[in-house]
Amino acid sequence: MIHHDDRARVSEFSQSCFDQQRVMFQYVPHRYWKINGDISYVQVHAYVSYNSDGLPLKMVGIVRDITEQHLLTMYLQKAIERYDLVSKATSEILS
C-alpha cells in the first residue's frame, strides 16, 4: 500500500499521465508499506492502454524496490552536509 503521505502526490501524477494519455511513464519514487509493516521506497514503470474514449483501459508495469539506493543517497547527502560544515569552519579558523 502506498504510504499515506505520498498518496496524493502519486495520485496527482497518475491522473496527469492519464489526462495526457501517456502510454509509458515512470512514477515518482515513493514509499510503500510492506505486509510486515516495513516501509520501502519504490519506483514504478507503467504501460497504459486506453479505450476509444481516451480512458485508461489497462495498466501493466513493474515495481522496483529502490530502498537501498534511497538510503545510500540520503547517507551521502548527510555526509556532504557534514563535510561542508567542517570545511566552512576550517576556512573561518584559518582566515
Side-chain angles (χ1 to χ4, degrees), residues 22-95:
R22 291 180 59 189
V23 176
M24 292 178 26
F25 53 89
Q26 175 178 301
Y27 278 86
V28 292
H30 56 277
R31 292 169 288 182
Y32 187 84
W33 287 104
K34 293 182 178 181
I35 292 174
N36 66 2
D38 290 345
I39 295 176
S40 62
Y41 290 83
V42 298
Q43 191 161 44
V44 178
H45 300 268
Y47 174 83
V48 182
S49 57
Y50 297 87
N51 66 16
S52 58
D53 295 324
L55 298 173
L57 181 64
K58 180 171 73 171
M59 183 166 86
V60 295
I62 60 166
V63 177
R64 191 170 69 112
D65 187 337
I66 60 166
T67 304
E68 186 175 332
Q69 175 186 347
H70 177 79
L71 295 175
L72 288 171
T73 300
M74 286 178 40
Y75 176 79
L76 181 58
Q77 286 173 343
K78 289 182 182 192
I80 290 169
E81 290 171 10
R82 286 191 306 269
Y83 172 80
D84 288 344
L85 287 173
V86 169
S87 178
K88 182 179 178 184
T90 302
S91 294
E92 289 173 0
I93 291 171
L94 294 176
S95 55

